Amino acid sequence: MQNTANAEKAAITALTAINIAKVTTIGCLVAFAFVFGIQDWRQVIYLCLHISYCLWWLVEQWLFPQRQQIFNQRMGAFGLLFTLLSVGIFYSLPGYLAFVNPVPLSMTTTAVALSLYIFGSLINATADVQKLTAKQFGAGLVRDGIWRFSRNINYFGDLLRYLSFSVVAGSPWAYLVPGYVLVIYLWLISQKEQSMPQKYPDYADYKQSSARLIPFIW
């Protein structure tokens, strides 16, 4: 029993592991800037987008302490290592590709990337704030406002941001990251849709009137 208790104390939450990974990503991007140098607006814009995203992830938990209740499952050394390698290192791949890309960033690519990032951030932040506020007032299933367009509108917004990183990177390999994120989200959505009907009797009606992930499409 004592060994089990000690193991639980030594373990960290998944959220803490993700936070460490986000800081790791920032460190990787800064290292790329020192090693490869900044040759074009491609690198400047990439740094601004990805680092601001990581910082917002951390700041959001301070602004909304309720966010600290997510990803609260405990994980050991292996889970921490996997999170650092995937969320911390692998997610830095588009950044590396942006720094080794010698082609100047075009105005069209810049416009597409910034639009994806801005709309993705607005959608994701709006969805999070609406749900947190509704839960504070004891609401049940949140299905109005921005959530009426998709049952996982927050995931959709996050995917748009990851796509913006790949667009700036300008390499097909960069799309491995949003592809990986999409696979994770589809798995989470599948898990969620198995538990939601038991928690909310009106979920079946909500499911019929909303998209699963992409508004108006799927």
Side-chain angles (χ1 to χ4, degrees):
M1 282 298 282
Q2 187 174 359
N3 290 337
T4 302
N6 290 336
E8 289 180 354
K9 290 181 180 179
I12 64 173
T13 65
L15 180 60
T16 300
I18 294 173
N19 290 342
I20 296 172
K22 295 295 185 184
V23 175
T24 301
T25 298
I26 294 175
C28 288
L29 297 178
V30 172
F32 295 154
F34 276 103
V35 172
F36 300 107
I38 297 176
Q39 309 298 330
D40 180 64
W41 279 106
R42 185 185 302 278
Q43 293 83 38
V44 175
I45 291 176
Y46 191 93
L47 287 174
C48 291
L49 296 187
H50 205 154
I51 290 180
S52 66
Y53 166 64
C54 292
L55 290 176
W56 173 249
W57 170 272
L58 300 171
V59 170
E60 192 177 23
Q61 296 165 46
W62 174 69
L63 292 174
F64 306 102
Q66 306 95 318
R67 295 277 297 168
Q68 298 176 18
Q69 299 175 8
I70 64 173
F71 303 116
N72 56 6
Q73 62 270 31
R74 296 281 173 173
M75 62 167 53
F78 177 78
L80 174 61
L81 178 62
F82 178 79
T83 303
L84 289 178
L85 291 176
S86 58
V87 180
I89 305 298
F90 178 60
Y91 282 20
S92 304
L93 174 63
Y96 167 78
L97 296 171
F99 274 93
V100 298
N101 190 339
V103 180
L105 188 67
S106 70
M107 294 181 65
T108 300
T109 303
T110 302
V112 171
L114 291 180
S115 297
L116 287 171
Y117 184 82
I118 291 170
F119 276 100
S121 297
L122 289 173
I123 290 170
N124 183 268
T126 301
D128 285 346
V129 171
Q130 182 187 347
K131 179 165 282 190
L132 286 172
T133 303
K135 295 300 182 183
Q136 276 187 312
F137 286 94
L141 179 64
V142 180
R143 51 182 295 182
D144 59 350
I146 197 169
W147 287 92
R148 72 182 185 273
F149 299 109
S150 167
R151 300 189 298 280
N152 299 281
I153 193 69
N154 54 335
Y155 292 163
F156 174 70
D158 206 32
L159 282 168
L160 292 183
R161 285 191 294 206
Y162 278 106
L163 281 173
S164 74
F165 303 155
S166 300
V167 170
V168 176
S171 169
W173 293 106
Y175 291 91
L176 288 174
V177 172
Y180 176 72
V181 174
L182 176 61
V183 170
I184 293 176
Y185 282 165
L186 290 178
W187 179 79
L188 291 174
I189 289 171
S190 177
Q191 298 293 110
K192 176 181 174 182
E193 290 189 340
Q194 292 179 23
S195 62
M196 291 293 279
Q198 285 73 41
K199 295 173 61 177
Y200 303 104
D202 53 343
Y203 185 75
D205 180 61
Y206 177 42
K207 190 174 181 179
Q208 293 295 323
S209 62
S210 61
R212 191 181 192 192
L213 178 62
I214 306 174
F216 309 112
I217 297 178
W218 179 74

